[in-house]
Amino acid sequence: MDRNTLTSGLLMACGAAALSAPAQADFIADGKAGLELRNFYFNRDFRQQGATQAKAEEWAQGFLLRYESGFTEGSIGVGLDAIGLLGVKLDSSPDRAGSGLLKRDREAPKRAQDEYGELGLTAKLRASKSVLKLGTLMPKLPVLLANDSRLLPQTFEGGQLNSLEIDGLTFDAGRLTEVNQRDSSDYEDMGITTVGVKNIRARQATSDAFDFANLSYKWNDSLSTGYGFGRLDDFYRQHMLTLNHLQPLGSGQALKSDIRYARSTDEGGSNVDNSAFGAMFTYNLGSHAFGLGYQRMSGDTGFAYVNGSDAYLVNFVQISDFANVEERSWQARYDYNFAALGVPGLTFMTRYLSGDDIDLGVGKASGKEWERDTDIAYVVQSGPLKNLGLKWRNATVRTTNFGNDLDENRLILSYTLPLW
């Protein structure tokens, strides 16, 4: 879908909204808008010998303005969404750039720009319980998870249909044609991730088409299953199966099971060959949660996913995805909600992951890695600063025979102001 097509669709949407006073009233009165302020400090120290950069350290302020209209009346309702993004540099330097918070300067790639931004528009049509969106999208599906872990979110251009026509069944399908990465203001063709030891080779660098379909069925309040299909043209095809189950055990106790399996194969222009299995089991006891996870990669390559996006894997965490060639990994996690001690809004999480058996190639010793993460977050519950969020994220990564050794800290202050 090109920009002219999108513009025509938006003009049609606006024209339809103005056809009648009642329709226009629904279009506007049912809408909502909000401004999110996101202040982000990022520090990553490279600890391995011979590191080309001592650290990546930047501080920035983000502004995220979101608007979602209602729909006009009639059998086919029309609406319009918009998002405005602005990132402003507060501190950076050429020897500390590259945190993913700020856009690099075209003329001086080692230097971050003072500011960068994006305006996204999305036309939408609703019929019965189905909605078609055309324009700027941020998919949250197993086969494609738009990344929102830095100052501004990753966005895509394309079309997506969401249907709830059958009770309990959610159906999504669509095509994406371009991506705007989290530290960019330019749309470009999509690529495949090469982070870590993926051993993925392709005859071309980018693709202009990602097709997807996803079915999720909620059998009851405790069980849901899903099937997803993703295809990055000339790179890979992926089939994904998911199962989520929650078993109440009484007296504030419950056991949650999250099981995922994906099979990825080449799409004619690459060597992608991967099977990924993951399972996470979490035992909830009042304000405590104890989790154990296992993930296994098999095949000639690591797990395939669109560059810049998040991988839908149980061991995809703050820094590593534990999705390298033949890697097997384990996770132990603990969460605590301080509301039980009279401090609502304060939460704590820590986890430890270990991966081994990474295939680094013929004649080479296998690779290993571990990561330890800690999150402490607080959201103000009342008063003039209600909904102000503060979060500290700490991570440590160590590797054997490959990769980087990292110590990382992120400090995030966020506040969303409803405009109407």
Side-chain angles (χ1 to χ4, degrees):
M1 183 190 66
D2 59 30
R3 302 280 176 148
N4 292 331
T5 302
L6 173 59
T7 301
S8 299
L10 296 175
L11 291 174
M12 291 176 61
C14 294
L19 287 177
S20 64
Q24 189 176 20
D26 289 340
F27 181 87
I28 297 174
D30 293 341
K32 59 182 180 180
L35 174 65
E36 180 184 353
L37 307 176
R38 188 179 294 180
N39 190 279
F40 207 123
Y41 169 77
F42 184 102
N43 180 301
R44 175 180 287 180
D45 286 334
F46 297 94
R47 312 299 294 182
Q48 74 275 12
Q49 288 187 338
T52 57
Q53 184 174 343
K55 63 179 177 180
E57 182 182 32
E58 294 181 306
W59 181 31
Q61 176 66 49
F63 301 87
L64 299 83
L65 178 64
R66 295 183 175 93
Y67 170 74
E68 296 180 12
S69 79
F71 289 92
T72 59
E73 290 183 340
S75 57
I76 298 180
V78 177
L80 176 67
D81 295 345
I83 183 169
L85 305 174
L86 174 65
V88 179
K89 179 177 70 177
L90 299 179
D91 179 64
S92 179
S93 69
D95 62 326
R96 295 184 285 112
S99 68
L101 294 185
L102 296 166
K103 182 178 180 178
R104 299 290 188 101
D105 192 288
R106 285 193 179 93
E107 298 180 358
K110 292 185 178 181
R111 185 180 299 278
Q113 289 188 182
D114 291 337
E115 61 184 39
Y116 69 108
E118 171 192 354
L119 174 63
L121 299 174
T122 309
K124 55 187 182 181
L125 303 174
R126 183 182 67 186
S128 184
K129 297 180 180 179
S130 298
V131 176
L132 174 65
K133 293 185 176 182
L134 300 171
T136 301
L137 302 171
M138 286 177 280
K140 292 295 182 183
L141 299 169
V143 291
L144 186 63
L145 282 166
N147 181 282
D148 191 15
S149 64
R150 293 294 197 276
L151 189 71
L152 302 179
Q154 177 190 45
T155 60
F156 292 84
E157 284 283 322
Q160 178 175 353
L161 173 68
N162 172 259
S163 177
L164 305 173
E165 299 295 336
I166 300 175
D167 289 345
L169 179 66
T170 301
F171 172 71
D172 289 274
R175 166 173 281 200
L176 305 175
T177 57
E178 291 184 308
V179 61
N180 189 343
Q181 303 292 1
R182 62 194 183 188
D183 56 352
S184 174
S185 58
D186 302 314
Y187 277 94
E188 57 190 12
D189 287 346
M190 295 163 285
I192 193 169
T193 187
T194 56
V195 175
V197 185
K198 298 296 190 291
N199 191 35
I200 295 175
R201 298 183 300 275
R203 64 188 180 193
Q204 61 188 59
T206 60
S207 172
D208 61 1
F210 180 83
D211 299 311
F212 62 92
N214 193 80
L215 292 164
S216 177
Y217 188 73
K218 186 175 182 180
W219 299 88
N220 51 51
D221 291 338
S222 299
L223 176 64
S224 63
T225 57
Y227 165 75
F229 172 77
R231 171 183 172 270
L232 184 61
D233 190 32
D234 281 330
F235 282 93
Y236 69 86
R237 292 172 177 260
Q238 187 173 86
H239 301 270
M240 185 171 291
L241 299 172
T242 61
L243 183 150
N244 288 274
H245 183 257
L246 181 64
Q247 180 61 54
L249 301 175
S251 302
Q253 303 177 66
L255 178 64
K256 179 181 178 181
S257 302
D258 182 356
I259 300 174
R260 310 173 189 182
Y261 173 77
R263 175 62 180 149
S264 307
T265 57
D266 71 273
E267 167 61 13
S270 75
N271 68 328
V272 171
D273 173 32
N274 174 267
S275 293
F277 172 79
M280 186 78 183
F281 301 98
T282 304
Y283 172 62
N284 290 281
L285 177 61
S287 57
H288 305 271
F290 305 89
L292 289 174
Y294 173 75
Q295 183 172 292
R296 176 67 179 181
M297 300 291 131
S298 59
D300 294 334
T301 69
F303 185 72
Y305 56 102
V306 174
N307 187 38
S309 67
D310 291 344
Y312 192 68
L313 300 169
V314 297
N315 283 354
F316 180 91
V317 288
Q318 183 167 326
I319 297 177
S320 181
D321 58 12
F322 292 85
N324 300 299
V325 182
E326 294 290 343
E327 184 170 14
R328 59 183 180 183
S329 56
W330 296 262
Q331 176 183 168
R333 173 170 172 160
Y334 172 71
D335 293 77
Y336 184 74
N337 190 330
F338 284 85
L341 296 180
V343 190
L346 180 63
T347 57
F348 170 82
M349 184 281 296
T350 188
R351 61 190 168 206
Y352 176 82
L353 300 96
S354 177
D356 61 13
D357 207 28
I358 302 170
D359 186 353
L360 301 180
V362 178
K364 297 181 180 179
S366 62
K368 299 180 181 180
E369 63 177 330
W370 62 262
E371 178 170 340
R372 181 179 61 244
D373 301 331
T374 301
D375 286 7
I376 299 176
Y378 179 67
V379 178
V380 179
Q381 302 294 294
S382 60
L385 295 179
K386 183 179 179 180
N387 296 326
L388 173 67
L390 303 91
K391 179 178 285 190
W392 170 44
R393 307 195 72 187
N394 171 267
T396 300
V397 171
R398 295 293 182 267
T399 62
T400 301
N401 299 325
F402 83 104
N404 298 319
D405 293 343
L406 309 170
D407 291 340
E408 183 179 284
N409 286 284
R410 307 179 189 183
L411 297 175
I412 309 162
L413 275 71
S414 61
Y415 180 73
T416 300
L417 176 66
L419 300 180
W420 74 77

